[in-house]
């Protein structure tokens, strides 16, 4: 039986048909050569797939580490300004300031208009008054 | 010793190698896939946490920027208020000074005019006054003593000639009245403050 196998080339019928004859090189391989090739192919495939997975894992690890570093940095920055407390305090202060601003705007704007009107009136009265005074000082 | 070319041992070894290679491939691939899935889940969580912290930080920065903007605006308004205070003080001083000096000059002019005799005072729509002597000058009127009696002429009734109105600063539109009005406006303005 062993002798028989040794002497006979390893044939795959379907491949033979697909190749269109008996002269396709792979088909006439000896069984141990075929097995060697298969083992090499599987090893190569395994290596390739592993390399691909490792690349993916490396990329994900890098992204994960970057996100973790970012989180740490943000947490550090937030802690430095006292985080939520600062935010609440800022919002409260903003509300108080908004009221103060409204009051100041409410006072300043009409006051400015009134002073401008008085100044304009005074600017017309002053020369007339000066002329009157000059006329009566003669 | 062993015939490696065709021995069944070699074939068995090769077959075993193939099987081992296949097993290794499958087991390692499974392990790596598992690791990848776990890492993906952790990376997703890490990304979500980072996004959350980024959002918090952005909110804090926005609140900070808003507060700073308000502080700047507030400083501008306070500066504007100070400028208005200065302007008001300066204007009050100038108006008061002019009103006081003008009052003094007007009073002096009116006092000096008392007793002045005008031989013929032509009045619009009225009989001419002869030897009209200025008896008293008020803010809105002038009283004359003349040959035929006493005449009290009012600015409102347009009885006084325009040159008298100008000369003695009479009427509701007089300089002194307008200045006094400005003084009272400034006083009101400082009280409202």
């Amino acid at each position: 039986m062993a002798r028989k196998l040794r002497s006979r080339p390893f044939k795959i019928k379907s491949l033979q048909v697909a190749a269109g004859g008996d002269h396709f090189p792979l088909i006439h391989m000896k069984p141990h050569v075929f097995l060697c090739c298969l083992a090499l192919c599987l090893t190569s495939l395994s290596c390739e797939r592993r390399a691909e997975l490792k690349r993916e894992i490396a990329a994900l690890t890098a992204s994960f580490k970057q996100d973790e570093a970012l989180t740490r940095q943000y947490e550090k920055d937030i802690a430095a300004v006292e985080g939520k407390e600062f935010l609440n305090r800022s919002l409260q202060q903003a509300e108080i300031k908004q009221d103060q601003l409204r009051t100041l705007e409410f006072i300043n704007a009409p006051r400015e208009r009134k002073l401008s009107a008085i100044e304009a009136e005074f600017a017309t009265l002053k020369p007339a008054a000066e002329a009157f005074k000059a006329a009566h000082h003669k | 010793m062993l015939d490696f070319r065709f021995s069944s041992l070699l074939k068995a070894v090769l077959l075993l190698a193939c099987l081992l290679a296949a097993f290794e491939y499958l087991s390692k691939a499974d392990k790596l896939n598992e690791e990848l899935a776990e890492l993906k889940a952790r990376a997703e969580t890490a990304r979500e946490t980072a996004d959350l912290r980024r959002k918090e930080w952005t909110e804090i920065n926005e609140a900070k920027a808003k507060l700073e903007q308000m502080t700047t605006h507030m400083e501008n308004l306070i500066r504007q208020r100070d400028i208005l205070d200065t302007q008001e003080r300066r204007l009050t001083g100038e108006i008061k000074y002019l009103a006081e000096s003008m009052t003094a000059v007007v009073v002096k002019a009116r006092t000096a005019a008392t007793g002045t005799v005008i031989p013929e005072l032509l009045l619009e729509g009225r009989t001419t006054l002869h030897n009209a002597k200025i008896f008293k000058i008020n803010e809105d009127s002038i009283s004359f003593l003349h040959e035929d009696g006493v005449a009290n002429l009012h600015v409102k009734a347009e009885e006084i000639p325009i040159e008298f109105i100008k000369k003695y600063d009479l009427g509701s539109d007089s300089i002194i009245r307008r200045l006094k009005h400005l003084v009272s406006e400034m006083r009101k303005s400082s009280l409202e403050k």
Side-chain angles (χ1 to χ4, degrees):
Chain A
M1 179 71 177
R3 270 179 201 283
K4 231 180 176 179
L5 268 172
R6 232 179 288 145
S7 61
R8 221 179 339 162
F10 189 81
K11 285 184 185 177
I12 298 168
K13 278 284 176 197
S14 57
L15 281 176
Q16 255 181 325
V17 172
D22 289 336
H23 302 292
F24 188 69
L26 267 175
I27 294 160
H28 293 283
M29 276 180 187
K30 301 281 183 214
H32 61 280
V33 177
F34 176 77
L35 284 172
C36 264
C37 287
L38 188 66
L40 280 171
C41 278
L42 279 173
T43 313
S44 150
L45 191 69
S46 157
C47 284
E48 203 178 310
R49 176 71 186 134
R50 263 165 58 191
E52 194 188 318
L53 279 171
K54 276 185 178 169
R55 267 200 305 276
E56 217 172 312
I57 286 171
L60 262 177
T61 309
S63 145
F64 172 71
K65 278 185 182 167
Q66 199 183 350
D67 282 341
E68 269 199 336
L70 264 177
T71 306
R72 268 199 303 277
Q73 185 59 45
Y74 283 133
E75 277 171 355
K76 199 177 154 191
D77 290 343
I78 290 167
V81 293
E82 294 169 16
K84 281 276 174 196
E85 275 177 39
F86 173 81
L87 187 64
N88 291 336
R89 217 169 41 234
S90 294
L91 291 173
Q92 277 176 353
Q93 279 180 358
E95 216 168 291
I96 294 167
K97 273 205 191 307
Q98 186 68 53
D99 287 344
Q100 290 174 338
L101 281 176
R102 220 173 286 137
T103 313
L104 267 175
E105 277 171 347
F106 185 74
I107 293 170
N108 278 3
R111 203 176 153 209
E112 193 177 11
R113 280 198 297 275
K114 195 174 179 180
L115 277 179
S116 296
I118 290 174
E119 198 163 23
E121 171 84 2
F122 181 64
T124 59
L125 278 177
K126 198 177 175 183
E130 295 296 345
F132 184 89
K133 278 173 17 182
H136 286 273
H137 273 301
K138 278 176 192 171
Chain B
M1 286 176 38
L2 281 170
D3 183 3
F4 284 106
R5 281 196 300 166
F6 301 107
S7 77
S8 54
L9 179 64
L10 179 62
K11 274 184 263 173
V13 167
L14 285 170
L15 191 65
L16 188 68
C18 282
L19 286 170
L20 279 174
F23 175 74
E24 198 207 351
Y25 164 67
L26 288 173
S27 69
K28 283 206 172 169
D30 275 355
K31 204 175 162 190
L32 285 173
N33 276 328
E34 206 174 291
E35 200 182 323
L36 189 67
E38 193 190 329
L39 201 60
K40 267 183 185 170
R42 279 169 65 196
E44 189 61 36
T45 315
R47 193 173 302 122
E48 277 172 14
T49 314
D51 282 345
L52 209 69
R53 295 286 174 273
R54 188 182 295 123
K55 206 177 155 191
E56 256 178 62
W57 184 238
T58 313
E59 269 178 31
I60 288 172
N61 273 337
E62 278 172 2
K64 211 170 155 185
K66 195 181 169 189
L67 200 63
E68 275 171 14
Q69 200 186 343
M70 279 183 160
T71 309
T72 313
H73 190 34
M74 182 83 135
E75 280 169 5
N76 286 340
L77 283 175
I78 289 171
R79 206 172 298 127
Q80 191 192 9
R81 189 191 63 188
D82 292 347
I83 290 168
L84 286 174
D85 281 349
T86 314
Q87 191 186 359
E88 192 182 286
R89 275 196 299 274
R90 179 183 56 79
L91 210 55
T92 307
E94 281 183 24
I95 293 171
K96 266 190 180 174
Y97 170 74
L98 194 64
E100 280 165 13
S101 60
M102 185 69 188
T103 307
V105 173
V106 167
V107 168
K108 200 177 156 189
R110 286 176 189 170
T111 312
T114 311
T116 308
V117 179
I118 301 146
E120 205 169 62
L121 181 61
L122 293 166
L123 298 171
E124 215 174 291
R126 278 183 67 147
T127 49
T128 305
L129 304 182
H130 295 283
N131 290 323
K133 187 179 173 186
I134 297 173
F135 175 64
K136 195 179 177 187
I137 303 176
N138 285 326
E139 284 189 348
D140 294 312
S141 63
I142 304 179
S143 302
F144 290 97
L145 284 174
H146 57 97
E147 282 181 356
D148 301 322
V150 178
N152 197 20
L153 308 179
H154 288 270
V155 177
K156 273 182 192 169
E158 296 178 355
E159 294 164 332
I160 303 176
I162 194 81
E163 64 265 24
F164 281 89
I165 295 172
K166 281 188 177 171
K167 196 173 179 183
Y168 303 116
D169 195 34
L170 306 174
S172 58
D173 206 29
S174 67
I175 297 167
I176 194 72
R177 272 202 176 165
R178 282 161 73 189
L179 279 172
K180 278 178 181 170
H181 173 72
L182 288 188
V183 170
S184 73
E185 283 295 313
M186 292 303 286
R187 197 170 292 137
K188 260 195 268 175
S189 170
S190 66
L191 283 174
E192 279 167 10
K193 200 167 60 176

